[in-house]
Amino acid sequence: GVLHRGERTLFGGLAGNAAVWDKIVKAYEKGAVYIGEASLAMVHNAEYEIPYLRKQAARLNQQIMDADRKQAEYTRNAQTCAVAFQQDCKKIGIASTGNIKRELHALSAQVPQVCASVVEAARAEPIGDAMRHYQDFTQYAHSTPNASEPLLATLLEVREGRTAPPSAADTAPACAAGSTAGRAEAAGGGLEAGGG
């Protein structure tokens, strides 16, 4: 309204109050800055965006501290597991730094010797005495005077030589040509038998 009703100068420019308002509008639009909208955006940022970003930064800092704490915990757990792994390897007689798979296969070569020593121990006289005592006690405790089958049949077979331990020739092909699953079962079974 004011600009359209304002007085015009000789060259068509505005005069009076219209000229003042025209200068204000041109200053506002100068350089496409739009100071009014910019000031509204600044107020909005100061009242809403900056507090939100501060809260988000605090939350992210907390997440970083939690992640650092978890990383330290996982590092400690990894070190503990590494020490336990080395101790377990030492218990079964392998180096934890070398080729563990090869060392486990090398341990399988000791199986016939271990079995032979077990058979030798089973055939010793103290084991025979213990077997007789166990059988006598079981028959007495369960009131079965003449049992038709011996109680420790497998041990009796080993003592009498009817069951032989595996030889090195029996175990070598299985270790060399066995599948990964077969080797894992053999290793797992050996560890369970040794640990129990």
Side-chain angles (χ1 to χ4, degrees), residues 94 98-108:
I94 62 173
N99 186 341
I100 294 173
K101 187 176 180 181
R102 190 175 337 148
E103 291 182 34
L104 287 173
H105 283 294
L107 282 178
S108 68

Side-chain angles (χ1 to χ4, degrees), residues 108-147:
S108 68
Q110 298 175 4
V111 170
Q113 295 169 348
V114 171
C115 289
S117 65
V118 168
V119 167
E120 185 178 323
R123 290 180 179 163
E125 194 53 40
I127 297 294
D129 294 342
M131 282 179 61
R132 284 187 289 280
H133 177 72
Y134 175 75
Q135 191 160 358
D136 292 344
F137 175 78
T138 305
Q139 287 174 356
Y140 171 77
H142 296 289
S143 302
T144 54
N146 292 321

Side-chain angles (χ1 to χ4, degrees), residues 29-194:
E29 294 175 346
K30 183 178 181 182
V33 173
Y34 299 100
I35 294 174
E37 283 84 354
S39 64
L40 285 175
M42 288 175 63
V43 169
H44 177 77
N45 288 341
E47 289 181 357
Y48 301 106
E49 294 296 325
I50 292 174
Y52 168 75
L53 292 174
R54 281 186 181 146
K55 287 180 185 176
Q56 189 175 17
R59 189 173 64 248
L60 293 174
N61 282 334
Q62 183 62 42
Q63 288 178 358
I64 289 171
M65 289 190 301
D66 291 344
D68 288 343
R69 182 181 48 78
K70 286 180 182 178
Q71 181 184 9
E73 182 181 336
Y74 294 152
T75 302
R76 279 194 308 273
N77 288 345
Q79 290 170 347
T80 302
C81 289
V83 168
F85 175 73
Q86 289 175 351
Q87 289 172 347
D88 288 344
C89 287
K90 195 173 188 179
K91 281 181 190 175
I92 61 173
I94 62 173
S96 58
T97 57
N99 186 341
I100 294 173
K101 187 176 180 181
R102 190 175 337 148
E103 291 182 34
L104 287 173
H105 283 294
L107 282 178
S108 68
Q110 298 175 4
V111 170
Q113 295 169 348
V114 171
C115 289
S117 65
V118 168
V119 167
E120 185 178 323
R123 290 180 179 163
E125 194 53 40
I127 297 294
D129 294 342
M131 282 179 61
R132 284 187 289 280
H133 177 72
Y134 175 75
Q135 191 160 358
D136 292 344
F137 175 78
T138 305
Q139 287 174 356
Y140 171 77
H142 296 289
S143 302
T144 54
N146 292 321
S148 59
E149 286 188 28
L151 294 175
L152 303 170
T154 305
L155 185 57
L156 187 61
E157 286 180 13
V158 170
R159 285 184 55 77
E160 293 174 353
R162 292 184 284 151
T163 300
S167 65
D170 294 337
T171 58
C175 290
S179 67
T180 304
R183 289 188 296 245
E185 286 176 14
L191 290 176
E192 287 173 10

